[in-house]
Amino acid sequence: MYYYKELIEMTLKKLGKKYVSDDAISLIYETAVTESGNFKYLKQTGKGPALGFTQLEPDTIDDVWNNFICHRQELMVVFCELGYNKYAKKQKNYYIPTNLALQIAFT
């Protein structure tokens, strides 16, 4: 997908310098390619709950938020700027597949 690697890098920079590396960019990109069938699926096929190109499961999103991000004020601010708010938390089936930056940040 054209521009996706650049979007990954921009998103990681928003999270903070320590999150940006060629390895991190490559890992997220390759995860998205593999999990989405080369950017074909935004939702897990069959009955699975996974969402977005990186196939994030809602329970995993909640775990990352509750046990990592919410203990880091600077990350909470960035995730809110990326669109993760009280509405997104309750409606992950809409907000995660439609927001590439959030998918990247949670990956």
Side-chain angles (χ1 to χ4, degrees):
M1 172 187 274
Y2 178 75
Y3 192 63
Y4 194 69
K5 281 188 178 179
E6 291 87 350
L7 183 58
I8 293 169
E9 184 175 1
M10 288 187 293
T11 303
L12 294 178
K13 283 180 179 176
K14 279 188 142 316
L15 295 175
K17 234 189 326 189
K18 69 181 180 181
Y19 297 101
V20 183
S21 70
D22 289 340
D23 287 342
I25 293 166
S26 181
L27 179 63
I28 293 169
Y29 182 81
E30 294 302 327
T31 299
V33 167
T34 301
E35 294 291 335
S36 69
N38 202 25
F39 300 105
K40 185 176 179 181
Y41 301 107
L42 280 171
K43 182 164 182 354
Q44 185 174 350
T45 59
K47 296 182 182 181
L51 303 166
F53 289 138
T54 56
Q55 297 293 290
L56 297 161
E57 295 192 6
D59 288 345
T60 302
I61 293 168
D62 291 341
D63 182 63
V64 170
W65 180 264
N66 293 330
N67 294 302
F68 186 77
I69 296 166
C70 76
H71 300 288
R72 290 157 179 83
Q73 183 65 35
E74 70 281 0
L75 286 179
M76 287 179 67
V77 170
V78 173
F79 272 76
C80 287
E81 288 172 356
L82 294 175
Y84 197 67
N85 53 42
K86 65 182 180 180
Y87 305 107
K89 289 176 189 176
K90 292 179 182 178
Q91 298 176 16
K92 290 180 193 76
N93 285 343
Y94 173 77
Y95 283 95
I96 296 301
T98 62
N99 188 322
L100 294 176
L102 274 180
Q103 293 173 36
I104 292 164
F106 272 113
T107 300

